[in-house]
């Protein structure tokens, strides 16, 4: 169901105002030292953002995908890492809403609305990222429990999450999703954070490696119950369609911030007695940046609107993610060039945009993976008659 336009605009406007007032002026204080943005997280909880797409019957805001996409864009314009706090949580909530049993939905979704019970998504391993067929994490049935053994990589929110959507291989050699509940930030029998992964950008929230040694999960925590055994890969890929729209929205937000910074700097910085914006070389660069940004935004919104209409959007989401992520990196690079030497310092935010932009090219499937997805769908849509 589409969100009322006036309500959507009001929510997006409130978040935009908060980003400009409280986020953008304060990011530099803790971003480089990789400190968790607790005050910003608390405000996101107060806005109800963690329940933004959870249906109202479970206590969420029930926003449509297009409105959520706009919110992610605004948040990423201020500080892209904040969108990471939401995105893995939304993937988990989407999987539970779409594929969970009635008991799982009733038990978990209401707790996920206020941010106190957050979800992490755990698919990747050291030798298995986009290649889900190479997963080695295993789950063995033992009565009314499953015993999990394996190591997972690139788990965003891994330490602070209360719920991990864990993909593991079952004895029938198929992939199943398990709902791993734990106390955030605390040791839990059979689960350890093997290491924290330091990153070029995307700072302020943890990305970790998590190890499972004989960790026991109740059979009731198999996503979808008995019918969900062996269907984890399909469940995950369905949710990742929306995840790719969200990554595209992040890219648009970072690109918007980089473009705005470049425009402001070009009108203030003078060389040879006039603002550098008056030099044709800079004008052409900014014109290209603005065009790429607009195209990326329109492709992202188009994928979101199609998803709201109930269409399958694996190709459109892949296209949006591919184009927007590459455009964001190009726009951030050009913004840094326009700033010259100043862009290479931490005194200006463009160096952060330059560090954050590559994540969108890699995360939720690299650009190369998106091209494979798009090509396969093209073959389905345009077969030889």
């Amino acid at each position: 169901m589409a969100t009322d336009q006036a309500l959507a605009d009001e929510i997006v406007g409130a978040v935009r105002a908060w980003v400009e007032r409280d986020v953008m002026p304060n990011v530099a204080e803790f971003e480089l030292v990789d400190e968790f943005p607790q005050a910003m997280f608390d405000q996101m909880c107060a806005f109800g953002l963690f329940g933004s797409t959870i249906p109202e019957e479970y206590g969420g805001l029930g926003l449509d995908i297009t409105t959520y996409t706009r919110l992610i864009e605004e948040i990423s314009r201020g500080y892209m890492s904040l969108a990471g706090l939401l995105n893995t949580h939304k993937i988990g909530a989407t999987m539970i809403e779409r594929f969970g049993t009635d008991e799982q939905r009733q038990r978990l979704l209401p707790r996920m609305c206020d941010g106190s019970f957050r979800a992490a998504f755990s698919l990747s391993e050291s030798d298995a990222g986009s290649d889900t067929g190479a997963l080695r994490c295993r789950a063995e049935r033992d009565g009314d429990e499953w015993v999990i053994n394996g190591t997972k990589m690139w788990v965003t929110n891994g330490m602070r999450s209360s719920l991990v959507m864990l993909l593991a291989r079952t004895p029938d050699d198929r992939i199943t999703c398990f709902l791993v509940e734990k106390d955030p930030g605390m040791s839990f029998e059979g689960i350890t954070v093997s290491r924290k992964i330091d990153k070029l950008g995307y700072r302020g929230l943890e990305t970790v490696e998590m190890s499972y040694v004989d960790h026991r999960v109740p059979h009731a925590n198999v996503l979808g119950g008995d019918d969900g055994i062996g269907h984890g890969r399909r469940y995950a890929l369905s949710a990742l369609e929306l995840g790719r729209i969200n990554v595209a929205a992040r890219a648009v937000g970072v690109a918007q911030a980089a473009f705005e910074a470049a425009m402001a700097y070009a009108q203030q910085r003078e060389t040879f007695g006039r603002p550098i914006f008056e030099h044709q070389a800079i004008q052409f660069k900014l014109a290209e940046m603005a065009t790429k940004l607009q195209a990326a935004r329109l492709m992202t919104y188009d994928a979101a609107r199609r998803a709201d209409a109930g269409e399958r959007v694996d190709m459109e989401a892949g296209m949006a993610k591919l184009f927007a992520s590459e455009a964001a990196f190009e726009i951030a690079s050009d913004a840094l060039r326009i700033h010259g030497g100043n862009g290479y310092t931490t005194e200006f935010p463009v160096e952060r945009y330059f560090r954050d932009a590559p994540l969108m090219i890699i995360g939720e499937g690299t650009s190369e993976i998106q091209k494979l997805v798009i090509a396969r769908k093209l073959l389905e849509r345009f077969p030889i008659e």
Side-chain angles (χ1 to χ4, degrees):
M1 181 181 295
T3 304
D4 177 78
Q5 190 61 50
L7 175 61
D9 291 344
E10 180 181 352
I11 294 172
V12 173
V15 170
R16 180 187 300 119
W18 168 66
V19 165
E20 293 179 349
R21 182 186 66 246
D22 296 335
V23 176
M24 299 181 81
N26 299 309
V27 172
E29 296 177 12
F30 55 82
E31 191 272 339
L32 281 171
V33 296
D34 207 7
E35 179 182 323
F36 184 75
Q38 186 65 50
M40 296 178 185
F41 166 74
D42 291 342
Q43 184 58 57
M44 291 167 68
C45 292
F47 278 130
L49 294 180
F50 289 92
S52 55
T53 59
I54 295 175
E56 294 180 71
E57 64 184 287
Y58 300 109
L61 298 179
L63 301 180
D64 61 18
I65 297 165
T66 301
T67 304
Y68 181 76
T69 297
R70 293 173 62 195
L71 289 171
I72 290 295
E73 177 186 342
E74 293 296 339
I75 291 168
S76 298
R77 185 171 69 93
Y79 184 24
M80 192 272 292
S81 293
L82 296 179
L85 296 176
L86 286 174
N87 199 33
T88 55
H89 183 80
K90 175 180 167 43
I91 289 175
T94 298
M95 292 176 71
I96 293 169
E97 181 193 347
R98 286 185 173 181
F99 307 112
T101 64
D102 288 340
E103 186 276 333
Q104 289 166 353
R105 288 193 288 267
Q106 294 290 342
R107 176 166 58 88
L108 296 172
L109 290 178
R111 301 165 66 191
M112 298 175 72
C113 291
D114 66 0
S116 62
F117 189 85
R118 284 191 290 138
F121 178 68
S122 189
L123 170 64
S124 296
E125 299 177 7
S126 58
D127 295 321
S130 299
D131 182 9
T132 56
L135 288 183
R136 296 181 180 179
C137 184
R138 302 198 70 85
E140 301 278 346
R141 183 78 179 264
D142 183 17
D144 290 334
E145 295 180 316
W146 291 82
V147 182
I148 311 290
N149 284 280
T151 299
K152 291 292 188 176
M153 289 286 289
W154 311 113
V155 188
T156 301
N157 294 325
M159 289 188 293
R160 290 181 170 85
S161 64
S162 300
L163 176 68
V164 180
M165 312 296 292
L166 177 72
L167 280 294
R169 190 175 297 281
T170 42
D172 59 4
D173 207 35
R174 295 189 297 168
I175 296 169
T176 298
C177 181
F178 295 88
L179 305 168
V180 178
E181 297 180 64
K182 66 183 186 66
D183 293 324
M186 300 176 64
S187 61
F188 203 80
E189 185 176 356
I191 306 176
T192 58
V193 174
S194 319
R195 65 186 174 102
K196 181 176 180 292
I197 302 170
D198 293 325
K199 309 180 293 294
L200 170 70
Y202 199 34
R203 294 169 175 259
L205 75 167
E206 79 273 10
T207 303
V208 300
E209 175 188 87
M210 296 181 70
S211 295
Y212 297 80
V213 179
D214 293 335
H215 177 67
R216 290 182 174 270
V217 176
H219 179 68
N221 279 31
V222 171
L223 180 65
D226 289 333
D227 293 338
I229 296 175
H231 294 291
R233 183 175 183 273
R234 177 170 65 86
Y235 294 168
L237 292 179
S238 176
L240 285 174
E241 283 186 21
L242 301 183
R244 285 168 178 160
I245 295 174
N246 296 336
V247 171
R250 285 200 231 181
V252 172
V254 171
Q256 181 70 42
F259 172 73
E260 289 175 358
M263 274 296 299
Y265 188 84
Q267 294 173 77
Q268 296 164 0
R269 175 78 166 101
E270 292 189 358
T271 60
F272 306 106
R274 55 178 175 161
I276 62 173
F277 183 82
E278 295 184 12
H279 298 296
Q280 190 178 69
I282 301 299
Q283 291 177 347
F284 281 9
K285 193 175 291 294
L286 287 164
E288 291 173 357
M289 292 163 68
T291 302
K292 292 175 185 176
L293 174 59
Q294 179 70 349
R297 176 176 288 112
L298 292 175
M299 290 183 71
T300 302
Y301 286 7
D302 176 68
R305 292 188 183 107
R306 289 172 181 269
D308 278 328
E311 297 181 28
R312 183 73 186 270
V313 293
D314 43 358
M315 185 170 83
E316 287 77 12
M319 286 178 167
K321 195 267 185 188
L322 170 65
F323 186 88
S325 62
E326 295 288 352
F329 184 72
E330 293 167 4
I331 291 168
S333 300
D334 284 339
L336 189 148
R337 291 182 182 217
I338 288 171
H339 279 71
N342 285 330
Y344 202 63
T345 71
T346 57
E347 295 180 22
F348 291 79
V350 290
E351 62 86 24
R352 171 164 52 87
Y353 308 144
F354 184 76
R355 287 186 289 106
D356 279 347
L359 174 75
M360 277 74 77
I361 293 175
I362 298 167
E364 308 254 359
T366 64
S367 288
E368 289 69 29
I369 290 295
Q370 303 311 313
K371 291 175 184 178
L372 287 174
V373 170
I374 294 165
R376 288 169 183 166
K377 297 307 295 184
L378 288 173
L379 196 60
E380 291 179 18
R381 296 190 187 187
F382 299 95
I384 297 175
E385 296 182 356

